Amino acid sequence: MASSSILLSEEQFLCSICLDVFTEPVTTSCGHNFCIDCITKYWNSKDLCHCPLCKEKFSKRPKLRVNTMLREVVGNFKSLRDRDKDESPAKLGKVPCDVCTGTKRNALKSCLVCLASYCETHLDPHHIAPAFKRHKLVDPVENLEDRICKKHDRLLELFCRTDQTCVCQTCVCQADHKTHDTVPIEEECGERKAQLGKTEAEVQQIIQERLKKVKEIKLSVYLSKRDAEREIADSIQVFTALVRSIKKSQAELIEVIEEKLKAVERQAEGIIEDLEQEITELKRRSTDLKQLSQTEDHLQLLQNFPSLVFTPPPTKNWSEISVHSDLCVGTVRRAVSQLEETLNKEMENLPDVKLKRIQQYAVDVTLDPDTAHPKLILSKDGKQVRCGDTEQNLPDIPKRFNHYLIVLGKDGFSSGRFYYEVTVKGKARWTLGLVRESTDRKGYVSPSPEYGVWTLVLTDGNQYTACSSPQVILFLRKKPQKVGVFVDYEEGLVSFYDVEARSHIYSFTGCTFKDKLFPFFVPCNNDDGKNSAPLIISPVNHTG
């Protein structure tokens, strides 16, 4: 069938306003056609009513009615156009039939013997004729000539593994490939597909690992954001308390100073009043003396002279009396001292805030009996360890320590943050910390980060040491009864805390962790009962 585009042109049915095929076409009195919505919107946007094409003006807006005949013609055109599109062969990405003349339909199969592609109609002989039934049909492919050996004009059916190229049967029979390892293309494709599947699986695994890493990073950012928010909240709390204390101290100081000033003013007023009274009396005496010295009455002068000269006026000794101007110095000093005390208290609270935050990372640690030295006795729940008097008959497996009184936690950690607490009450000697999985368990264990051991040690009842390089002697105000151990694997941090005092003891920083870390416990010898108390892994009290 001839294409409808030969008989009808799409341009004939385009609205000059929307430039698309008419929808509900109307005809103006000047004979031009438009979509009813297009011409209505056009006129609504104009002050004058005229034709968009010929510009003919209308005295009043025409009453528009749909041109039914034109609508039917446009409808038929759309139907023919859509049918042509459906029947159109060789769509983008499709293979056309090599037999069709004129309008080519899409090929259904390609024949590797005929080296041609056929539509459903022209493929029938390959289903009916015996000679064609032996031909190899595949899904439609383009450029069938590329499947022919350029040298022998035969189908490329084999794959030469030696030269990694496709060959025909004649190639295999000749010297070029006669001794080479050749297999059917299907067999090689099967192996390549298996390899592709394996590679795809590896790629998918890598994708999953990357997705996991993205998830970890997002979680890390979330945790960092949460920690930052808590840090901000804690700092606001501390500084608010400090500001409140400063304001209170300032108000109290001002009040004290003002009260002392008022007292000084009252004292000064009293002194001034007494002085003014004396001045008044002295002025009166001066007047009497002056009058007496000027009198002509000799008898009066002699009679009054003793009372005015030999009788002293009623005055005080003011040489030792003064008003102090430095009354506020001690007050300011005391206020600053109180403020310093408040600041110290708030500073002491900071480790408490930090410890509360760290306790969120608490993990359930249980002792591993397979790692325990034969002399160590573990509780049934794996939460306590103490030293016995004699060695137990235990198998000497690779995991077990046989030289030092050491036992490890059952689970190791190779990422993230974790925290646990150990009660050490009643003990005179102990060692706590972390050890890497690869540390030698059958000989000398060097308590040093260089050898993968990060520990805090108590000896002689009150001698605390951080086993760094070199070792650090610690001076603690109180003897810890419960020790908290915190680890940030990625940060390279191992910290120890006095849980009851809510204070920091010591931190190993800048550590490099490469393998699993295990909680490390050494209860030490009994010392004739002086050190018989066990090390106890305690539950973490988050509200402490």
Side-chain angles (χ1 to χ4, degrees):
M1 187 186 79
S3 174
S4 59
S5 60
I6 298 175
L7 301 174
L8 298 172
S9 171
E10 185 170 328
E11 294 180 0
Q12 295 175 283
F13 303 104
L14 294 181
C15 171
S16 60
I17 297 176
C18 66
L19 302 179
D20 200 356
V21 176
F22 290 125
T23 301
E24 296 295 305
V26 294
T27 305
T28 60
S29 58
C30 59
H32 293 117
N33 301 308
F34 307 95
C35 300
I36 188 170
D37 287 341
C38 294
I39 190 63
T40 301
K41 290 178 181 178
Y42 179 82
W43 282 343
N44 287 340
S45 64
K46 303 291 181 181
D47 294 332
L48 297 175
C49 189
H50 62 265
C51 174
L53 287 177
C54 66
K55 306 301 180 182
E56 180 179 337
K57 296 180 181 178
F58 307 112
S59 57
K60 64 178 181 177
R61 180 180 291 194
K63 203 177 222 184
L64 298 176
R65 298 177 184 272
V66 175
N67 188 329
T68 55
M69 181 178 291
L70 181 56
R71 180 173 61 184
E72 290 179 7
V73 174
V74 171
N76 290 334
F77 171 77
K78 288 182 178 179
S79 299
L80 290 172
R81 182 188 61 179
D82 294 341
R83 188 174 70 182
D84 282 348
K85 287 182 180 179
D86 293 338
E87 293 180 353
S88 176
K91 293 180 183 177
L92 189 61
K94 301 291 184 179
V95 178
C97 176
D98 291 326
V99 182
C100 289
T101 58
T103 302
K104 290 184 175 292
R105 303 175 70 85
N106 291 331
L108 185 64
K109 291 289 183 180
S110 293
C111 178
L112 297 181
V113 178
C114 302
L115 297 178
S117 299
Y118 302 101
C119 64
E120 185 176 5
T121 302
H122 294 116
L123 188 63
D124 286 344
H126 281 74
H127 296 312
I128 299 172
F132 288 136
K133 283 185 177 182
R134 293 192 296 271
H135 289 192
K136 187 171 183 179
L137 299 175
V138 296
D139 290 333
V141 293
E142 295 181 299
N143 304 322
L144 285 170
E145 61 274 10
D146 293 341
R147 296 174 177 266
I148 301 299
C149 176
K150 300 293 189 293
K151 189 173 182 181
H152 305 109
D153 201 28
R154 293 191 63 179
L155 184 66
L156 298 172
E157 298 179 287
L158 303 171
F159 182 79
C160 177
R161 289 177 172 172
T162 305
D163 292 338
Q164 293 291 301
T165 185
C166 295
V167 296
C168 67
Q169 291 287 358
T170 305
C171 292
V172 175
C173 296
Q174 293 186 353
D176 289 349
H177 299 280
K178 192 170 185 178
T179 59
H180 291 182
D181 180 15
T182 57
V183 294
I185 284 180
E186 292 82 355
E187 181 180 338
E188 182 66 19
C189 284
E191 294 187 9
R192 294 291 178 94
K193 285 183 178 180
Q195 186 177 355
L196 288 173
K198 182 179 178 182
T199 304
E200 171 65 13
E202 292 174 353
V203 171
Q204 286 297 327
Q205 183 178 355
I206 294 173
I207 290 173
Q208 293 304 316
E209 290 174 354
R210 299 301 184 269
L211 290 173
K212 182 180 178 182
K213 180 55 68 175
V214 168
K215 189 175 181 180
E216 289 176 359
I217 293 173
K218 287 183 177 180
L219 178 60
S220 178
V221 171
Y222 167 76
L223 294 176
S224 298
K225 183 179 179 181
R226 188 182 65 181
D227 291 346
E229 289 173 350
R230 285 179 178 159
E231 285 281 2
I232 292 172
D234 293 341
S235 65
I236 290 174
Q237 180 180 352
V238 171
F239 282 98
T240 300
L242 288 175
V243 170
R244 189 186 306 115
S245 178
I246 291 172
K247 288 183 176 180
K248 182 181 178 183
S249 298
Q250 183 186 35
E252 291 176 350
L253 176 61
I254 292 173
E255 184 178 355
V256 170
I257 292 173
E258 288 177 345
E259 285 297 327
K260 289 193 174 185
L261 176 61
K262 290 178 181 178
V264 169
E265 288 176 343
R266 286 194 296 269
Q267 180 188 12
E269 288 174 358
I271 293 172
I272 291 171
E273 184 177 351
D274 291 344
L275 286 170
E276 287 178 345
Q277 287 179 357
E278 287 191 7
I279 290 170
T280 300
E281 184 64 30
L282 289 171
K283 284 182 177 180
R284 186 181 303 112
R285 177 66 63 91
S286 176
T287 301
D288 290 344
L289 288 171
K290 188 175 182 179
Q291 289 176 353
L292 185 61
S293 65
Q294 294 176 355
T295 184
E296 297 295 334
D297 188 346
H298 301 294
L299 179 61
Q300 183 182 10
L301 185 149
L302 292 175
Q303 290 177 340
N304 294 328
F305 182 85
S307 63
L308 292 176
V309 175
F310 296 114
T311 304
T315 58
K316 297 179 181 179
N317 182 9
W318 297 98
S319 60
E320 300 297 328
I321 296 176
S322 65
V323 177
H324 296 287
S325 60
D326 58 348
L327 296 176
C328 301
V329 174
T331 306
V332 174
R333 186 179 294 110
R334 284 193 297 273
V336 172
S337 178
Q338 291 175 357
L339 185 59
E340 183 180 6
E341 184 179 347
T342 302
L343 178 60
N344 289 335
K345 287 182 179 179
E346 292 299 332
M347 292 297 291
E348 289 177 0
N349 287 334
L350 287 177
D352 180 40
V353 173
K354 188 173 184 65
L355 184 58
K356 285 181 181 178
R357 187 173 67 252
I358 287 173
Q359 286 177 328
Q360 297 176 95
Y361 301 99
V363 294
D364 184 16
V365 176
T366 303
L367 300 173
D368 185 358
D370 291 339
T371 65
H373 185 279
K375 206 172 180 181
L376 296 181
I377 299 174
L378 276 61
S379 62
K380 290 183 179 180
D381 61 359
K383 298 296 183 181
Q384 300 185 27
V385 58
R386 62 183 178 86
C387 183
D389 295 326
T390 59
E391 289 192 5
Q392 305 170 77
N393 185 18
L394 300 174
D396 188 17
I397 56 178
K399 292 175 62 178
R400 192 180 307 282
F401 289 88
N402 64 359
H403 192 71
Y404 290 100
L405 301 174
I406 298 172
V407 62
L408 304 184
K410 186 173 291 185
D411 297 320
F413 302 89
S414 56
S415 65
R417 301 170 180 174
F418 58 95
Y419 172 82
Y420 60 94
E421 294 178 352
V422 182
T423 297
V424 296
K425 186 177 181 179
K427 295 193 67 63
R429 292 196 298 147
W430 49 258
T431 300
L432 294 175
L434 276 296
V435 64
R436 65 187 179 198
E437 186 176 23
S438 58
T439 298
D440 183 18
R441 306 189 183 196
K442 300 302 179 184
Y444 176 71
V445 178
S446 177
S448 167
E450 297 177 34
Y451 298 95
V453 183
W454 297 266
T455 55
L456 182 69
V457 177
L458 169 65
T459 56
D460 301 327
N462 58 8
Q463 178 76 38
Y464 294 92
T465 305
C467 295
S468 58
S469 297
Q471 292 188 346
V472 178
I473 305 300
L474 304 173
F475 301 95
L476 307 183
R477 289 186 296 176
K478 293 178 62 178
K479 184 176 181 178
Q481 303 299 305
K482 185 184 292 186
V483 176
V485 183
F486 172 69
V487 180
D488 188 327
Y489 195 97
E490 284 73 21
E491 189 70 21
L493 174 69
V494 179
S495 296
F496 297 88
Y497 290 87
D498 183 339
V499 177
E500 293 185 353
R502 319 298 292 175
S503 61
H504 174 255
I505 299 175
Y506 184 81
S507 287
F508 294 91
T509 59
C511 308
T512 301
F513 305 133
K514 295 182 179 179
D515 51 3
K516 276 189 177 182
L517 300 178
F518 286 83
F520 180 92
F521 304 85
V522 180
C524 298
N525 286 316
N526 285 335
D527 293 340
D528 297 327
K530 296 178 182 178
N531 192 44
S532 60
L535 291 175
I536 304 172
I537 301 172
S538 308
V540 176
N541 181 10
H542 296 275
T543 60

